[in-house]
CSV table of all heavy atoms in Angstrom, one decimal:
chain,number,residue,atom,x,y,z
A,1,VAL,N,91.9,-28.7,-47.5
A,1,VAL,CA,91.6,-27.9,-46.4
A,1,VAL,C,92.7,-28.1,-45.4
A,1,VAL,O,93.2,-29.2,-45.2
A,1,VAL,CB,90.2,-28.1,-45.8
A,1,VAL,CG1,90.1,-29.5,-45.3
A,1,VAL,CG2,89.9,-27.1,-44.8
A,2,TYR,N,93.1,-27.0,-44.7
A,2,TYR,CA,94.1,-27.0,-43.7
A,2,TYR,C,93.6,-26.5,-42.3
A,2,TYR,O,92.7,-25.7,-42.3
A,2,TYR,CB,95.3,-26.2,-44.1
A,2,TYR,CG,95.9,-26.5,-45.4
A,2,TYR,CD1,95.5,-25.8,-46.6
A,2,TYR,CD2,96.9,-27.4,-45.6
A,2,TYR,CE1,96.0,-26.0,-47.8
A,2,TYR,CE2,97.4,-27.7,-46.8
A,2,TYR,CZ,97.0,-27.0,-47.9
A,2,TYR,OH,97.5,-27.3,-49.2
A,3,LEU,N,94.2,-27.0,-41.3
A,3,LEU,CA,93.9,-26.4,-40.0
A,3,LEU,C,95.3,-26.2,-39.3
A,3,LEU,O,95.9,-27.1,-38.9
A,3,LEU,CB,93.1,-27.4,-39.1
A,3,LEU,CG,92.6,-26.8,-37.8
A,3,LEU,CD1,91.6,-25.7,-38.0
A,3,LEU,CD2,92.0,-27.9,-36.9
A,4,GLN,N,95.6,-24.9,-39.1
A,4,GLN,CA,96.8,-24.5,-38.4
A,4,GLN,C,96.4,-24.4,-36.9
A,4,GLN,O,95.6,-23.6,-36.6
A,4,GLN,CB,97.4,-23.2,-38.9
A,4,GLN,CG,98.6,-22.7,-38.2
A,4,GLN,CD,99.8,-23.7,-38.3
A,4,GLN,OE1,100.1,-24.1,-39.5
A,4,GLN,NE2,100.4,-24.0,-37.2
A,5,MET,N,97.0,-25.2,-36.1
A,5,MET,CA,96.7,-25.2,-34.7
A,5,MET,C,97.9,-24.7,-33.9
A,5,MET,O,99.0,-25.3,-33.9
A,5,MET,CB,96.3,-26.6,-34.2
A,5,MET,CG,95.2,-27.2,-35.0
A,5,MET,SD,94.7,-28.8,-34.3
A,5,MET,CE,96.1,-29.8,-34.7
A,6,ASN,N,97.8,-23.5,-33.2
A,6,ASN,CA,98.8,-22.9,-32.4
A,6,ASN,C,98.4,-22.9,-31.0
A,6,ASN,O,97.2,-23.0,-30.6
A,6,ASN,CB,99.1,-21.5,-32.9
A,6,ASN,CG,99.6,-21.4,-34.3
A,6,ASN,OD1,100.3,-22.3,-34.8
A,6,ASN,ND2,99.3,-20.4,-35.0
A,7,THR,N,99.4,-22.7,-30.1
A,7,THR,CA,99.2,-22.6,-28.7
A,7,THR,C,98.2,-23.8,-28.2
A,7,THR,O,97.2,-23.6,-27.5
A,7,THR,CB,98.6,-21.3,-28.3
A,7,THR,OG1,99.2,-20.2,-29.1
A,7,THR,CG2,98.8,-21.0,-26.8
A,8,LEU,N,98.6,-25.0,-28.6
A,8,LEU,CA,97.8,-26.1,-28.3
A,8,LEU,C,97.7,-26.4,-26.8
A,8,LEU,O,98.7,-26.2,-26.0
A,8,LEU,CB,98.3,-27.4,-29.0
A,8,LEU,CG,98.0,-27.4,-30.5
A,8,LEU,CD1,98.9,-28.4,-31.2
A,8,LEU,CD2,96.5,-27.9,-30.6
A,9,LYS,N,96.5,-26.8,-26.3
A,9,LYS,CA,96.2,-27.1,-24.9
A,9,LYS,C,95.9,-28.6,-24.8
A,9,LYS,O,95.5,-29.2,-25.8
A,9,LYS,CB,95.1,-26.2,-24.5
A,9,LYS,CG,95.2,-24.7,-24.6
A,9,LYS,CD,94.0,-24.0,-24.2
A,9,LYS,CE,94.1,-22.5,-24.4
A,9,LYS,NZ,92.9,-21.8,-24.0
A,10,PRO,N,96.0,-29.1,-23.6
A,10,PRO,CA,95.7,-30.5,-23.4
A,10,PRO,C,94.2,-30.8,-23.8
A,10,PRO,O,94.0,-31.9,-24.3
A,10,PRO,CB,95.9,-30.7,-21.9
A,10,PRO,CG,97.0,-29.8,-21.6
A,10,PRO,CD,96.7,-28.5,-22.4
A,11,GLU,N,93.3,-29.9,-23.6
A,11,GLU,CA,91.9,-30.1,-24.0
A,11,GLU,C,91.7,-30.1,-25.5
A,11,GLU,O,90.6,-30.5,-25.9
A,11,GLU,CB,91.0,-29.0,-23.3
A,11,GLU,CG,91.5,-27.6,-23.6
A,11,GLU,CD,92.3,-27.0,-22.4
A,11,GLU,OE1,93.1,-27.8,-21.9
A,11,GLU,OE2,92.0,-25.9,-22.0
A,12,ASP,N,92.7,-29.8,-26.3
A,12,ASP,CA,92.6,-29.9,-27.7
A,12,ASP,C,92.9,-31.3,-28.2
A,12,ASP,O,92.7,-31.6,-29.4
A,12,ASP,CB,93.6,-29.0,-28.4
A,12,ASP,CG,93.3,-27.5,-28.2
A,12,ASP,OD1,92.1,-27.1,-28.2
A,12,ASP,OD2,94.3,-26.7,-28.0
A,13,ALA,N,93.4,-32.2,-27.3
A,13,ALA,CA,93.6,-33.6,-27.7
A,13,ALA,C,92.3,-34.3,-28.1
A,13,ALA,O,91.3,-34.2,-27.4
A,13,ALA,CB,94.3,-34.3,-26.5
A,14,ALA,N,92.4,-34.8,-29.3
A,14,ALA,CA,91.2,-35.5,-29.8
A,14,ALA,C,91.5,-36.1,-31.2
A,14,ALA,O,92.6,-36.0,-31.7
A,14,ALA,CB,90.1,-34.4,-30.1
A,15,VAL,N,90.6,-36.9,-31.7
A,15,VAL,CA,90.7,-37.3,-33.1
A,15,VAL,C,90.0,-36.2,-33.9
A,15,VAL,O,88.9,-35.9,-33.7
A,15,VAL,CB,90.0,-38.7,-33.3
A,15,VAL,CG1,90.1,-39.1,-34.8
A,15,VAL,CG2,90.7,-39.7,-32.4
A,16,TYR,N,90.8,-35.8,-34.9
A,16,TYR,CA,90.3,-34.7,-35.7
A,16,TYR,C,89.8,-35.3,-37.1
A,16,TYR,O,90.5,-36.0,-37.7
A,16,TYR,CB,91.3,-33.6,-36.0
A,16,TYR,CG,91.5,-32.7,-34.8
A,16,TYR,CD1,92.1,-33.2,-33.6
A,16,TYR,CD2,91.1,-31.4,-34.8
A,16,TYR,CE1,92.3,-32.4,-32.5
A,16,TYR,CE2,91.3,-30.6,-33.7
A,16,TYR,CZ,91.8,-31.0,-32.6
A,16,TYR,OH,92.0,-30.2,-31.5
A,17,TYR,N,88.7,-34.9,-37.5
A,17,TYR,CA,88.1,-35.3,-38.8
A,17,TYR,C,87.8,-34.1,-39.7
A,17,TYR,O,87.3,-33.1,-39.3
A,17,TYR,CB,86.7,-36.0,-38.5
A,17,TYR,CG,86.8,-37.2,-37.7
A,17,TYR,CD1,86.6,-37.1,-36.3
A,17,TYR,CD2,87.0,-38.5,-38.2
A,17,TYR,CE1,86.7,-38.2,-35.5
A,17,TYR,CE2,87.1,-39.6,-37.4
A,17,TYR,CZ,86.9,-39.5,-36.0
A,17,TYR,OH,86.9,-40.6,-35.2
A,18,CYS,N,88.2,-34.3,-40.9
A,18,CYS,CA,87.8,-33.3,-41.9
A,18,CYS,C,86.6,-33.7,-42.6
A,18,CYS,O,86.2,-34.8,-42.7
A,18,CYS,CB,89.0,-33.0,-42.9
A,18,CYS,SG,89.4,-34.4,-44.0
A,19,SER,N,85.9,-32.7,-43.1
A,19,SER,CA,84.7,-32.9,-43.9
A,19,SER,C,84.7,-32.1,-45.2
A,19,SER,O,85.3,-31.0,-45.2
A,19,SER,CB,83.4,-32.6,-43.1
A,19,SER,OG,83.3,-31.2,-42.8
A,20,ALA,N,84.0,-32.5,-46.2
A,20,ALA,CA,83.8,-31.8,-47.4
A,20,ALA,C,82.4,-32.0,-47.9
A,20,ALA,O,81.9,-33.1,-48.0
A,20,ALA,CB,84.8,-32.3,-48.4
A,21,ASP,N,81.7,-30.9,-48.2
A,21,ASP,CA,80.4,-31.0,-48.8
A,21,ASP,C,80.6,-30.9,-50.3
A,21,ASP,O,80.8,-29.8,-50.9
A,21,ASP,CB,79.6,-29.8,-48.3
A,21,ASP,CG,79.3,-29.9,-46.8
A,21,ASP,OD1,79.4,-31.0,-46.3
A,21,ASP,OD2,79.0,-28.9,-46.2
A,22,VAL,N,80.5,-32.1,-50.9
A,22,VAL,CA,80.8,-32.2,-52.3
A,22,VAL,C,79.6,-32.0,-53.2
A,22,VAL,O,78.5,-32.7,-52.9
A,22,VAL,CB,81.5,-33.6,-52.6
A,22,VAL,CG1,81.8,-33.8,-54.1
A,22,VAL,CG2,82.7,-33.8,-51.8
A,23,LEU,N,79.7,-31.2,-54.2
A,23,LEU,CA,78.6,-31.0,-55.1
A,23,LEU,C,78.8,-31.9,-56.3
A,23,LEU,O,79.8,-31.9,-57.0
A,23,LEU,CB,78.6,-29.5,-55.6
A,23,LEU,CG,77.6,-29.1,-56.6
A,23,LEU,CD1,76.2,-29.2,-56.0
A,23,LEU,CD2,77.9,-27.7,-57.2
A,24,PHE,N,77.7,-32.7,-56.6
A,24,PHE,CA,77.7,-33.6,-57.8
A,24,PHE,C,76.7,-33.0,-58.8
A,24,PHE,O,75.6,-32.7,-58.5
A,24,PHE,CB,77.3,-35.0,-57.4
A,24,PHE,CG,78.3,-35.7,-56.5
A,24,PHE,CD1,78.1,-35.6,-55.1
A,24,PHE,CD2,79.3,-36.4,-57.0
A,24,PHE,CE1,79.0,-36.2,-54.2
A,24,PHE,CE2,80.2,-37.0,-56.2
A,24,PHE,CZ,80.1,-36.9,-54.8
A,25,ARG,N,77.2,-32.9,-60.0
A,25,ARG,CA,76.4,-32.4,-61.1
A,25,ARG,C,75.7,-33.7,-61.7
A,25,ARG,O,76.4,-34.5,-62.3
A,25,ARG,CB,77.2,-31.7,-62.1
A,25,ARG,CG,76.4,-31.1,-63.3
A,25,ARG,CD,75.5,-30.0,-62.8
A,25,ARG,NE,76.2,-28.8,-62.2
A,25,ARG,CZ,75.7,-27.8,-61.6
A,25,ARG,NH1,74.4,-27.7,-61.4
A,25,ARG,NH2,76.5,-26.9,-61.1
A,26,LEU,N,74.4,-33.8,-61.6
A,26,LEU,CA,73.7,-34.9,-62.1
A,26,LEU,C,73.2,-34.7,-63.5
A,26,LEU,O,72.9,-35.7,-64.2
A,26,LEU,CB,72.5,-35.3,-61.2
A,26,LEU,CG,72.9,-35.5,-59.7
A,26,LEU,CD1,71.6,-35.8,-58.9
A,26,LEU,CD2,73.9,-36.7,-59.6
A,27,GLY,N,73.0,-33.5,-63.9
A,27,GLY,CA,72.6,-33.2,-65.2
A,27,GLY,C,72.3,-31.7,-65.3
A,27,GLY,O,72.6,-30.9,-64.3
A,28,VAL,N,71.8,-31.2,-66.4
A,28,VAL,CA,71.5,-29.8,-66.5
A,28,VAL,C,70.5,-29.4,-65.5
A,28,VAL,O,69.4,-29.9,-65.5
A,28,VAL,CB,71.1,-29.5,-67.9
A,28,VAL,CG1,70.7,-28.0,-68.0
A,28,VAL,CG2,72.1,-29.8,-69.0
A,29,GLY,N,70.9,-28.4,-64.6
A,29,GLY,CA,70.0,-27.9,-63.6
A,29,GLY,C,69.6,-28.9,-62.5
A,29,GLY,O,68.7,-28.7,-61.8
A,30,ASN,N,70.5,-29.9,-62.4
A,30,ASN,CA,70.2,-30.9,-61.4
A,30,ASN,C,71.5,-31.3,-60.6
A,30,ASN,O,72.5,-31.7,-61.3
A,30,ASN,CB,69.6,-32.2,-62.0
A,30,ASN,CG,69.1,-33.2,-61.0
A,30,ASN,OD1,69.0,-32.9,-59.8
A,30,ASN,ND2,68.8,-34.4,-61.5
A,31,SER,N,71.6,-31.1,-59.3
A,31,SER,CA,72.7,-31.4,-58.6
A,31,SER,C,72.4,-31.8,-57.1
A,31,SER,O,71.3,-31.5,-56.7
A,31,SER,CB,73.7,-30.2,-58.6
A,31,SER,OG,73.1,-29.1,-57.9
A,32,ARG,N,73.3,-32.4,-56.5
A,32,ARG,CA,73.2,-32.8,-55.1
A,32,ARG,C,74.5,-32.6,-54.4
A,32,ARG,O,75.6,-32.7,-54.9
A,32,ARG,CB,72.8,-34.3,-55.0
A,32,ARG,CG,71.4,-34.7,-55.4
A,32,ARG,CD,70.4,-34.2,-54.4
A,32,ARG,NE,69.0,-34.6,-54.8
A,32,ARG,CZ,68.4,-35.7,-54.4
A,32,ARG,NH1,69.1,-36.6,-53.6
A,32,ARG,NH2,67.2,-36.0,-54.8
A,33,THR,N,74.4,-32.3,-53.1
A,33,THR,CA,75.5,-32.1,-52.2
A,33,THR,C,75.5,-33.2,-51.1
A,33,THR,O,74.5,-33.4,-50.5
A,33,THR,CB,75.5,-30.7,-51.6
A,33,THR,OG1,75.5,-29.7,-52.6
A,33,THR,CG2,76.8,-30.5,-50.7
A,34,LEU,N,76.7,-33.9,-51.0
A,34,LEU,CA,76.8,-34.9,-50.0
A,34,LEU,C,78.1,-34.6,-49.1
A,34,LEU,O,79.1,-34.1,-49.6
A,34,LEU,CB,77.0,-36.3,-50.6
A,34,LEU,CG,75.8,-36.8,-51.4
A,34,LEU,CD1,76.2,-38.1,-52.1
A,34,LEU,CD2,74.6,-37.0,-50.5
A,35,ARG,N,77.9,-34.9,-47.8
A,35,ARG,CA,79.1,-34.7,-46.9
A,35,ARG,C,79.9,-35.9,-46.8
A,35,ARG,O,79.4,-37.0,-46.6
A,35,ARG,CB,78.6,-34.2,-45.6
A,35,ARG,CG,79.7,-34.1,-44.5
A,35,ARG,CD,79.3,-33.3,-43.3
A,35,ARG,NE,79.2,-31.9,-43.7
A,35,ARG,CZ,78.9,-30.9,-42.8
A,35,ARG,NH1,78.7,-31.2,-41.6
A,35,ARG,NH2,78.8,-29.7,-43.2
């Protein structure tokens, strides 16, 4: 995943974190999503 940041302002200053909601296939018809 990308984040293109243009026209940056001082208030944009921060620590930026990415997230992913990952789907795990546990078996047939059985899955879980974790962030």
